[in-house]
Amino acid sequence: MRRLSDKTLVVASHNAGKIREIRDLIGPLGFEAKSAADLNFIEPEETGTTFEENAAIKALASAKASGLPALSDDSGLVIDALGGAPGVYTANWAEREDGSRDFQMAMEKVEEALRDKGAVMPESRTARFVSVLCLAWPDGHVELFRGEVEGTVVWPPRGTSGFGYDPVFQPKGYNTTFGEMRAEEKHGWKPGDPEALSHRARAFKLFAETCLGA
Ligand code: IMP
């Protein structure tokens, strides 16, 4: 495992919600995070079929373009009743014909697909959010970390915090959706805490312990 010695890294993302969450998580550890969006890097095509492959594609593209270590996140919602969909295609389900993203529409698509399967009771709507973080160096070395959080897809959407599919995801053991939680509650982690809640914070905890010695 390679440790990170630089105090600046690139967040290999153009997704404002993810960039904000990664900055929240890494800030307390004394890191400055520049984003691929701020640096005007082109978004590489996500041609992989796994979260790991796509995370590596994004992190390597930013590390090579910047000459700095780059941290990417590839994530998605894996719904049991839909055979794991939307999975690695979670962002695509939100895509409109003009290329913009509409998450209200994406959540409605998910709901329609669940109803088509007759999945109306909470026990038939189990799902998990998955996040794979990849730290890549300009020389091509990569480290990968996976975090998952179990929960249920609820309808109608609740809450306006967070981003993406947060309003329809209720983590197991909670009465609130991610959309109803403050950012700190959704992460459920700060350096030194034994547990984290969100998929991203769980992957980040592994990354911090392995590469930052946190
Ligand atoms: P990708 O990793 O860029 O392929 O996109 C992942 C998609 O999953 C995003 O478009 C988000 O909408 C969704 N997603 C990932 N993590 C979260 C989260 O923490 N909350 C809500 N939606 C998420």
Side-chain angles (χ1 to χ4, degrees):
M1 288 284 174
R2 199 189 282 185
R3 298 275 293 262
L4 187 65
S5 47
D6 307 63
K7 279 288 177 191
T8 304
L9 57 71
V10 177
V11 177
S13 181
H14 287 72
N15 177 321
K18 279 189 194 176
I19 296 168
R20 190 173 57 241
E21 291 198 352
I22 292 174
R23 282 208 167 113
D24 280 354
L25 291 163
I26 206 159
L29 293 160
F31 280 80
E32 193 207 335
K34 302 176 185 212
S35 81
D38 297 340
L39 294 166
N40 290 322
F41 292 163
I42 296 164
E43 263 187 290
E45 218 187 313
E46 296 181 27
T47 51
T49 54
T50 62
F51 293 112
E52 280 77 5
E53 280 176 289
N54 285 334
I57 289 170
K58 290 186 271 193
L60 283 167
S62 281
K64 289 191 171 153
S66 64
L68 289 167
L71 183 67
S72 68
D73 162 291
D74 198 65
S75 43
L77 184 59
V78 174
I79 304 176
D80 294 318
L82 305 184
V88 289
Y89 305 106
T90 301
N92 304 32
W93 279 39
E95 237 154 61
R96 287 196 166 283
E97 274 172 21
D98 65 3
S100 63
R101 290 197 174 142
D102 179 342
F103 285 96
Q104 180 61 36
M105 177 192 83
M107 291 186 285
E108 281 166 15
K109 262 196 216 172
V110 162
E111 181 57 19
E112 220 176 279
L114 281 169
R115 285 193 190 183
D116 284 350
K117 297 275 181 204
V120 284
M121 300 307 283
E123 52 280 13
S124 55
R125 297 166 64 96
T126 52
R128 65 206 54 77
F129 259 132
V130 176
S131 160
V132 172
L133 292 177
C134 177
L135 181 64
W137 280 263
D139 69 1
H141 182 83
V142 296
E143 300 280 356
L144 291 157
F145 307 94
R146 177 182 270 248
E148 300 189 2
V149 58
E150 299 291 326
T152 307
V153 177
V154 300
W155 196 260
R158 305 198 313 261
T160 52
S161 301
F163 68 101
Y165 297 74
D166 276 342
V168 290
F169 186 82
Q170 184 166 303
K172 200 172 171 178
Y174 290 76
N175 295 319
T176 46
T177 66
F178 274 168
E180 294 173 302
M181 294 185 185
R182 285 178 294 111
E184 309 85 79
E185 288 177 272
K186 178 182 168 185
H187 302 320
W189 185 83
K190 55 184 182 330
D193 284 354
E195 304 281 349
L197 176 59
S198 76
H199 50 315
R200 187 160 297 103
R202 287 180 178 179
F204 189 87
K205 178 177 177 288
L206 293 176
F207 154 71
E209 287 165 355
T210 309
C211 296
L212 311 179

